[in-house]
Amino acid sequence: MGIAAKAFQTWRTSVAPGESTSDLCRKTGIKRSTLAQQLVRGTVSVDTVVRVARAFDEDPVIALSAFPEFEGLAEGRRAPTDAELISQVSYPCILRTLLTRAASEPESGLQLEQCVFPYAGSVRLWFEAIDAGDLRQRLSAATGIAPQNISAQLSAERLAPDVAVQAARLSGVSLTSGLVVTGVLQPEEGGWPPGAREQAVAGLSDVELVTLARDRLDALAKVLRKREHDEKYDHALLENLG
């Protein structure tokens, strides 16, 4: 779901009065043809709103909150939980931390600036971190999206912005967290404190860290086995086709 084009045009006029479409596109880096297509369709993407807000020094979260589709977003912005933060640390960084501890070099710490996010797997891991066990079913009931389609989005490492916000709302976490992990918002825009991921990982005991590493590697092994199986199947199919 995007933003109604009429509402966007009204908001745009208040944020950038006197700016032509060409000026707007030049400042935001949005192609003029892309914006024109969105306006003709009657729906403007969330990314467009965020980019316009940034270009004119507006808080993207407050900007989105001005639209009915994201009402209450700014009020629902708060710090993420430790589980959310840890979900956004990739397995190589977790293993690096584990090896550092094993080498008795705690002073070296975890250098997460080399572990960017979102990363492959971060959307699904965030969803799992906030899921008490029935989130897919509750999210389906709230959005009208079939559970299997929600699972398909997660497998593809994407989640529509409104669905991400609804998932956060149902789970009782910051409403902006899903927009951070899907790349719509920058961490600081979503209320994620600097160094929060490092602190969350540092707070894990050795047992918790080892268990986390094991779980991440188990999940990676499943993905690799499936990929290997699919490649063998494709190869066999091509051979049979001659």
Side-chain angles (χ1 to χ4, degrees):
M1 178 182 70
I3 303 298
K6 185 175 181 180
F8 169 79
Q9 291 285 52
T10 301
W11 170 78
R12 163 198 163 179
T13 301
S14 66
V15 172
E19 295 283 349
S20 67
T21 299
S22 296
D23 292 335
L24 191 74
C25 291
R26 186 179 66 256
K27 289 185 177 181
T28 60
I30 300 171
K31 291 183 178 180
R32 188 169 181 175
S33 58
T34 298
L35 180 57
Q37 288 172 2
Q38 292 180 15
L39 293 174
V40 168
R41 287 200 304 265
T43 303
V44 175
S45 72
V46 172
D47 179 65
T48 295
V49 175
V50 169
R51 291 171 71 172
V52 171
R54 288 172 181 161
F56 292 93
D57 298 321
E58 296 284 332
D59 183 335
V61 174
I62 293 178
L64 287 172
S65 298
F67 300 100
E69 295 87 348
F70 292 94
E71 184 178 359
L73 185 66
E75 291 79 4
R77 173 171 51 185
R78 56 182 183 274
T81 64
D82 282 350
E84 290 178 280
L85 292 167
I86 291 169
S87 77
Q88 297 309 294
V89 181
S90 62
Y91 78 88
C93 286
I94 293 170
L95 294 177
R96 192 178 304 147
T97 304
L98 191 59
L99 292 173
T100 298
R101 288 191 185 183
S104 300
E105 299 174 1
E107 68 279 1
S108 63
L110 177 60
Q111 304 300 316
L112 284 183
E113 65 272 10
Q114 299 176 6
C115 302
V116 296
F117 80 105
Y119 61 90
S122 62
V123 176
R124 177 181 52 80
L125 286 172
W126 171 75
F127 192 91
E128 292 176 356
I130 67 171
D131 185 5
D134 61 348
L135 184 54
R136 281 177 175 79
Q137 288 72 26
R138 294 170 61 207
L139 189 56
S140 174
T143 62
I145 302 173
Q148 59 267 31
N149 291 337
I150 294 173
S151 295
Q153 286 192 43
L154 293 172
S155 296
E157 278 305 304
R158 60 182 179 82
L159 206 57
D162 58 308
V163 178
V165 172
Q166 186 65 271
R169 193 187 303 276
L170 292 172
S171 301
V173 299
S174 172
L175 297 188
T176 54
S177 284
L179 299 181
V180 171
V181 301
T182 54
V184 174
L185 295 175
Q186 294 297 317
E188 61 273 14
E189 293 171 341
W192 289 41
R197 292 188 300 151
E198 293 94 327
Q199 293 174 15
V201 173
L204 295 175
S205 67
D206 289 347
V207 172
E208 289 172 329
L209 189 59
V210 169
T211 302
L212 179 62
R214 180 204 64 192
D215 292 345
R216 292 288 183 87
L217 290 176
D218 282 348
L220 176 63
K222 290 179 181 178
V223 171
L224 294 177
R225 279 197 294 268
K226 183 179 185 304
R227 186 180 302 167
E228 185 179 76
H229 176 271
D230 291 344
E231 288 175 352
K232 288 181 178 178
Y233 175 83
D234 291 343
H235 181 70
L237 182 61
L238 289 173
E239 284 189 340
N240 289 334
L241 291 175

